[in-house]
Amino acid sequence: MTVLAVAEHRRGELRDVSHELVTAGRELADATDGDLHVAVVSGSVEEYADRLDRDGVDVIHTVAHGEEFNHDVYTQAVTQLAEEIDPTVLLMPQSVNGLDYAPAVANRVGLPLITDAVDLAYDDGLTATRELYGSKVETTIDSHADSTAVTIRPAEWPAAEGSGDATVEPFEATIDESAIRSTVTGFQEVGGGDVDISEADVLVSIGRGIEEEENLDLIRDLADTLDATLSASRPIVDNGWLPKNRQVGQSGKVVTPDVYIAIGISGAVQHVAGMKGADTIVAINDDPNAPIFDIADYGIVDDLFDVVPALIEGFES
Amino acid sequence: MKVLVTVKEVTAVDDEFEIDGLGIDDRYVTADLNEWDEYAVEEAVQLSESLDDVEVVTVTIGPSDAEETIRQALAKGADRAIRVWDDALDDDAMLDPATKARLLAAVAEQEDPDLILTGVQSADDSLGATGVTLADQLGTEWAAVVNALDLDAQAGVAHVHRELEGGVEELTDVELPAVLTIQTGINDPRYASLRGIRQAQSKELAEKTLADIGLDATALDSPIEQTALYEPESEGGATLYEGTPEETAGELAGLLAERGVGQ
């Protein structure tokens, strides 16, 4: 079979999910000794193609049209490519932009669409695993179609590594300009600033458990002691106690530090989506049932107001 | 102008629950209006308050049990409601986005709205694809994950912000008619007033079968099949330090030093 995976980029950068799509696509292709094709649409497609040429990629299709994501361009280009290649599985990212074109492509090509897959298997047919009811249960979905469209959840597959020897083939998509009925006029950073928490090696992250704004000083002291960067979960930012650029999570930043210390954070799925890629996760929370302990490597079930001062002291000595 | 809002009754699952076949045992679920749809309804009602002659119509796919939930939107200011249901539809079966969109598109074709608002996703099965599928089936424009909307009805353009990942918003102009999928936080959904709740009881809530919207049971054919439902294995592999705060913090400090923190 053939798998076609569509890369994602934004404002000149390939997004991490692109290399995860390569891994997921390679795994599926391997199940049937098949080929993995990757598509990249708009922007500096040749440069992107270079960086997408990881181990296991057979062909990279480039569609040079425009700079930034436009769903009308993506929908047309990916539809035409899928019709030409006829992939058994069409993989796209479960991202905000993925959700803006994948359903339209699936509709036009006539493929069933399974979104937000966290696992995929191929054995006489595609089986996808998804989560329901806020991750409380998992479900498996079988596709009985010859060809299926899937969006994969970011950070569920490891990034593909190594260098490949893919053939790069420019694809001449016929883009009907009159069908482009939406125009991206710009971007707006919500809560920019001087700090990029996604670059930090060590993050001290605070959640609702801090209770009061003035208690944040305790966490700042800890961050200083550990030479770490301060971050937070959504409620802290919603309250205006820290700026938006400190927010970890789906609508904030996705971080992958060496060490992530979650303090007073329960670990809702939207938060976890932003930090589960950390190498080592430490949780301090007085609720032993908090979901953060499901993904933590190390934990302390105790009052943060007792533990954090002791940690500052313990680390200094 | 007419605004069509798709709404869905969703079920929330208790902390402790049991699985019954491919669903959750009824004893452990609570039905409510989908959170994202509340924002979509509020956005539509605000449009009807700020512009002249705006009719807000809700459409849902659901059994008669869902009517109480659907009336919440009427109580908050929607003008009338349509509920699609048919004996051919199974209460528990998962409908894939294409199937849902086919039913909603059939209603949209009858209603001919200028704007369709949907939630980004539903809280229960979180497919997140029905709105854009609906747009493409109808051949209208769309925008997914909208967290700000400024409608220029005269020019026929919706100026929207799309909430991208990582604290970035995309500013986009979308030609009408269009489907916009609405993100939470776009507005501050109101509570229904007592007067609104009373009025909702007398507002039109039309039930339509597949035949009523020009479809038959083949519209429900889907190559997607749910095959299992189970609780994921707990990933609780955390090493928990035990003892006094000094002891646990001491062990954690040692671990952090080992990992090179502070160096």
Side-chain angles (χ1 to χ4, degrees):
Chain A
M1 70 163 152
T2 303
V3 176
L4 174 61
V6 186
E8 174 156 312
H9 60 86
R10 200 168 80 198
R11 304 168 86 189
E13 299 286 340
L14 267 190
R15 293 178 56 77
D16 291 345
V17 71
S18 300
H19 289 130
E20 296 156 19
L21 282 156
V22 169
T23 303
R26 190 63 251 168
E27 285 176 9
L28 284 175
D30 280 347
T32 57
D33 262 339
D35 288 339
L36 172 61
H37 293 228
V38 172
V40 59
V41 182
S42 304
S44 317
V45 290
E46 280 161 28
E47 184 194 322
Y48 293 143
D50 257 1
R51 292 169 52 202
L52 287 164
D53 189 6
R54 297 272 167 103
D55 218 4
V57 180
D58 296 297
V59 185
I60 299 172
H61 304 272
T62 58
V63 180
H65 191 287
E67 281 302 312
E68 287 296 333
F69 174 79
N70 174 293
H71 67 222
D72 292 315
V73 172
Y74 264 62
T75 300
Q76 294 184 58
V78 178
T79 296
Q80 289 167 28
L81 199 51
E83 280 169 349
E84 169 127 346
I85 295 169
D86 191 21
T88 306
V89 183
L90 171 60
L91 290 180
M92 293 167 282
Q94 174 78 8
S95 59
V96 173
N97 282 345
L99 286 178
D100 203 37
Y101 77 91
V105 170
N107 182 54
R108 287 184 198 187
V109 185
L111 309 179
L113 174 64
I114 301 171
T115 56
D116 203 17
V118 296
D119 197 13
L120 292 169
Y122 195 91
D123 182 16
D124 286 338
L126 184 72
T127 300
T129 304
R130 305 183 72 247
E131 294 183 340
L132 297 179
Y133 302 106
S135 310
K136 282 190 174 140
V137 296
E138 284 186 356
T139 186
T140 50
I141 312 275
D142 282 359
S143 172
H144 303 299
D146 294 336
S147 192
T148 307
V150 177
T151 63
I152 67 162
R153 182 180 289 186
E156 287 291 327
W157 280 264
E161 293 179 355
S163 57
D165 52 2
T167 319
V168 178
E169 296 180 359
F171 179 74
E172 296 297 329
T174 311
I175 305 297
D176 175 4
E177 300 285 338
S178 72
I180 300 175
R181 291 170 290 167
S182 71
T183 313
V184 178
T185 59
F187 293 94
Q188 185 172 305
E189 303 273 350
V190 274
D194 48 346
V195 180
D196 185 354
I197 56 172
S198 63
E199 295 291 317
D201 295 328
V202 183
L203 282 171
V204 168
S205 207
I206 187 65
R208 215 188 286 271
I210 195 66
E211 295 171 1
E212 303 286 341
E213 186 174 10
E214 53 264 32
N215 296 338
L216 272 180
D217 283 343
L218 175 64
I219 307 304
R220 285 198 181 90
D221 285 350
L222 176 64
D224 285 348
T225 304
L226 301 180
D227 196 16
T229 303
L230 185 63
S231 60
S233 63
R234 188 163 192 151
I236 302 300
V237 175
D238 282 349
N239 286 347
W241 297 350
L242 283 174
K244 179 90 183 169
N245 63 2
R246 300 279 181 166
Q247 186 181 325
V248 174
Q250 221 155 46
S251 61
K253 289 265 164 70
V254 173
V255 298
T256 51
D258 298 335
V259 179
Y260 187 86
I261 306 171
I263 304 173
I265 291 176
S266 67
V269 64
Q270 292 84 355
H271 182 76
V272 170
M275 45 65 79
K276 65 182 170 189
D279 283 348
T280 300
I281 298 170
V282 177
I284 301 170
N285 200 303
D286 59 7
D287 174 7
N289 294 318
I292 193 75
F293 288 116
D294 285 343
I295 61 151
D297 301 296
Y298 299 91
I300 297 175
V301 181
D302 209 339
D303 189 335
L304 75 89
F305 296 105
D306 294 328
V307 175
V308 173
L311 182 56
I312 293 171
E313 200 172 310
F315 196 81
E316 279 174 340
S317 61
Chain B
M1 77 181 264
K2 190 189 282 187
V3 183
L4 186 66
V5 187
T6 66
V7 294
K8 182 184 176 191
E9 182 185 80
V10 295
T11 49
V13 178
D14 299 344
D15 286 345
E16 300 290 328
F17 62 91
E18 288 173 31
I19 287 169
D20 179 17
L22 292 176
I24 306 290
D25 188 315
D26 284 346
R27 289 175 295 173
Y28 306 99
V29 300
T30 319
D32 205 351
L33 185 60
N34 181 38
E35 184 186 357
W36 282 265
D37 299 347
E38 288 196 38
Y39 289 88
V41 168
E42 176 65 31
E43 200 64 19
V45 171
Q46 287 187 12
L47 285 173
S48 76
E49 289 168 343
S50 62
L51 300 169
D52 290 335
D53 295 327
V54 175
E55 185 186 27
V56 177
V57 182
T58 68
V59 56
T60 194
I61 303 167
S64 56
D65 293 354
E67 290 205 353
E68 197 183 331
T69 299
I70 298 318
R71 285 211 189 270
Q72 289 178 26
L74 295 173
K76 292 178 181 188
D79 296 298
R80 60 187 171 87
I82 296 165
R83 182 175 64 79
V84 177
W85 197 244
D86 199 283
D87 290 342
L89 279 152
D90 175 353
D91 232 349
D92 296 324
M94 183 197 69
L95 294 178
D96 76 323
T99 308
K100 280 186 209 176
R102 265 196 296 279
L103 307 191
L104 297 170
V107 172
E109 269 160 11
Q110 292 181 343
E111 291 289 330
D112 196 23
D114 303 278
L115 181 67
I116 300 177
L117 302 182
T118 75
V120 164
Q121 62 180 44
S122 60
D124 47 8
D125 52 22
S126 309
L127 289 162
T130 305
V132 175
T133 307
L134 171 62
D136 204 55
Q137 286 187 5
L138 290 169
T140 69
E141 193 49 42
W142 71 86
V145 194
V146 168
N147 71 349
L149 166 62
D150 172 18
L151 191 74
D152 186 342
Q154 212 133 39
V157 176
H159 306 284
V160 305
H161 289 201
R162 297 180 54 237
E163 187 189 78
L164 303 183
E165 296 86 356
V168 176
E169 293 180 359
E170 180 200 273
L171 283 56
T172 302
D173 290 345
V174 183
E175 289 179 26
L176 299 182
V179 177
L180 307 179
T181 80
I182 301 296
Q183 176 65 309
T184 57
I186 187 173
N187 52 41
D188 189 8
R190 73 194 66 193
Y191 291 97
S193 65
L194 281 175
R195 186 162 157 268
I197 293 167
R198 266 200 314 275
Q199 285 177 340
Q201 296 307 315
S202 56
K203 286 182 178 172
E204 179 187 323
L205 200 167
E207 183 185 346
K208 299 200 180 215
T209 63
L210 291 178
D212 291 336
I213 55 173
L215 299 174
D216 59 40
T218 59
L220 306 177
D221 291 346
S222 167
I224 296 289
E225 184 194 2
Q226 189 183 10
T227 51
L229 188 78
Y230 52 90
E231 281 189 71
E233 283 171 41
S234 170
E235 295 166 42
T239 302
L240 295 180
Y241 298 122
E242 285 172 20
T244 65
E246 286 70 27
E247 289 163 356
T248 57
E251 292 205 57
L252 178 54
L255 171 89
L256 294 176
E258 231 172 74
R259 299 287 151 116
V261 171
Q263 284 157 29

